[in-house]
Structure formats: C-alpha cells, structure tokens
Amino acid sequence: MRKKIVAANWKMNLDLQEGTTLVNELLKNAPALSPERQVVIAPPFVHIAQTAGQLAATAHIATGAQNCHHEGAGAYTGEISAKMLKSAGVQYVIIGHSERRQYCAETSEMLAKKTDQALSNGMQVIFCCGEPLEIRDADTQNAYVQQQLEEGIFHLDGSQLSNVVIAYEPIWAIGTGRTASSAQAQDMHAHIRAVIAGKYGADAAENMTILYGGSCKPSNAAELFACADVDGGLIGGASLKADEFLGIVTAMTNS
Ligand code: 13P
C-alpha cells in the first residue's frame, strides 16, 4: 500500500522561536497516524537541527529540507549539502519547487544532480513538478509535466525511484487561493502515474506517492485527498498555523 503524506513547506517564514512553538503545538495536537501515513515538516535550513531534535522521538512526523545543493561539498559559499542535512536529522528533501526553478534559476540538470545527492545520502526526495498558467491555458500541461519528470528523475533506477515522492504543484494555484479542482488534480495525478508506469512498470506506479500542492486548505483537503490518485499534499501558507495544518493532516488520516 502506498504511503499517504502531508508535508509542510514553510518557505521563508517563521523565525526560530516561532518555528519551535509551531512544532510543539503540532506535537501536542497531532492525531495518531497509522504506519502508512506520514507528516513531514520542512522548515528553513537554520531551524532544521532544532526541529529534528523536537521530532526525534516521533516516527510519524519527519523533518524535511526545502532544498539541497547539487554538488557534494566544496567552495560554494552560503550553500548547504545533502550530507549536512542528513547529519542534522533530515529525512525528506524537497527538490525542484517552482519558486526555486523560477527565482534561483534551477535547471533540470541541477535538479537531477540534487536528487542524486539527496538519495545517495540516504534521504527521500519530494520532487516537484507543475505548469505555469500559460501552459494550462494552452492545454499542454501533460506534456510539460512529463518532460519535467523525464529530465529530473528518469535517470534513476527502480530501487532509487522507490525513495522518491512526486508533488504536483500547478504554479497558478500556489499562494493564489485558486486551488486546482479535484477533477484537474485527479487528471494530472493519473497522468503522472501513467508516465511512471510507462517507464518503471505498473508496480512502481502503484507504489508512488503523488502529492498535490497549491492553495490546499482544511476546507478543500478532504475533497482533494478523496481522489484515487491524490495521496496527500504539499502545503505552503496553511502549514504556518497549527490548527490549519492539523485540519489538513486530519483530512489525510481520514482519506
Ligand atoms: P500554498 O499552499 O501557499 O499555495 O503553497 C503551495 C506550495 O508551494 C507548497 O510547496
């Protein structure tokens, strides 16, 4: 049975004290989760050691990172390697978020290398894909997302792929309040699963966790997570408040 996951991407929000308080609230109020359900908290880099320490005794809530560098070590001032993240307690690394593709000019080649770095250091990858509005308006989103997957993760073998989670985040739905409809999400998730099946076979596709991201809230999470191919969410704005995030976690536990 494939895992269901709700992951918090705090982006560049919350200082260390605010983040510590939020994690404590989540720990206090999180519902019990069965083994095939997972929560991930991805704070900014400087919070990670603190967050990982707070979550160390709670297996069903993992620590994530929002990025890692595409090289292993060296003269890259200001950068953070996968090995550093692993040593600080990180279990999941978000790679290829549209904000990093856009604002940090991350190329597919870099994302493939980041994926290799995270996997070879023993972490799971949450690989993001998703189209901008003009691609959706032209109705070419399926080919666009397929190319992102081919360029970012199709160099992996099947056993490496088993440590990858895919997050579909249509750019036009991120932080806009304009969520993809459950039909739009389901259509794309089914397409992604078919693309994975075409390359890696039916079992790999069946076991692949595919998250939806983009204005996911407690009020729409249950409907999105009820879709056959939506296995949870990658949450931005609504992950910054304990009650909102826990509402989404509860929707995942009930799905
Ligand atoms: P919002 O939930 O704020 O739309 O952000 C989604 C996202 O980008 C998560 O990675």
Side-chain angles (χ1 to χ4, degrees):
M1 191 179 176
R2 60 180 177 254
K3 229 177 201 173
K4 300 212 173 185
I5 299 175
V6 166
N9 175 9
W10 290 0
K11 309 190 181 183
M12 196 173 73
N13 294 294
L14 306 179
D15 66 23
L16 183 58
Q17 289 71 30
E18 291 164 339
T20 302
T21 301
L22 177 52
V23 171
N24 281 336
E25 285 174 35
L26 297 175
L27 279 170
K28 199 160 64 175
N29 298 311
L33 296 183
S34 52
E36 68 282 1
R37 286 172 164 71
Q38 177 81 61
V39 173
V40 179
I41 313 286
F45 284 141
V46 288
H47 304 19
I48 279 176
Q50 167 78 0
T51 303
Q54 289 176 276
L55 297 177
T58 311
H60 60 272
I61 310 183
T63 303
Q66 299 173 20
N67 178 37
C68 70
H69 197 259
H70 56 278
E71 300 293 350
Y76 300 100
T77 302
E79 295 292 343
I80 305 288
S81 72
K83 183 166 182 276
M84 294 172 196
L85 296 175
K86 176 70 177 178
S87 72
V90 168
Q91 292 146 281
Y92 288 81
V93 187
I94 299 170
I95 289 175
H97 194 283
S98 58
E99 288 151 14
R100 295 203 58 86
R101 290 179 191 255
Q102 185 181 351
Y103 306 137
C104 307
E106 292 190 350
T107 63
S108 288
E109 193 186 3
M110 288 160 73
L111 300 181
K113 289 170 93 177
K114 285 170 189 268
T115 299
D116 292 343
Q117 286 293 334
L119 293 176
S120 64
N121 281 282
M123 294 176 286
Q124 312 254 327
V125 166
I126 300 176
F127 188 86
C128 300
C129 56
E131 78 285 356
L133 186 58
E134 61 270 22
I135 295 291
R136 171 64 59 168
D137 285 344
D139 200 24
T140 53
Q141 65 274 7
N142 284 8
Y144 186 93
V145 166
Q146 179 164 349
Q147 188 177 347
Q148 288 180 319
L149 297 176
E150 287 172 354
E151 292 176 352
I153 59 173
F154 268 27
H155 63 290
L156 302 175
D157 64 27
S159 98
Q160 291 170 317
L161 189 82
S162 67
N163 289 310
V164 174
V165 170
I166 294 171
Y168 169 60
E169 299 202 305
I171 296 171
W172 45 270
I174 295 177
T176 59
R178 181 182 162 188
T179 319
S181 69
S182 52
Q184 286 172 320
Q186 170 56 26
D187 281 355
M188 178 58 83
H189 284 227
H191 169 63
I192 291 170
R193 206 175 298 287
V195 167
I196 296 296
K199 167 80 176 171
Y200 293 97
D203 282 355
E206 187 52 35
N207 290 328
M208 172 62 70
T209 297
I210 307 176
L211 310 180
Y212 169 78
S215 299
C216 187
K217 310 180 268 282
S219 57
N220 59 28
E223 187 185 336
L224 286 161
F225 299 169
C227 299
D229 290 296
V230 178
D231 307 313
L234 180 55
I235 317 300
S239 73
L240 301 174
K241 297 215 173 87
D243 56 343
E244 286 191 33
F245 186 62
L246 288 173
I248 297 171
V249 171
T250 301
M252 183 261 292
T253 61
N254 295 337
S255 68

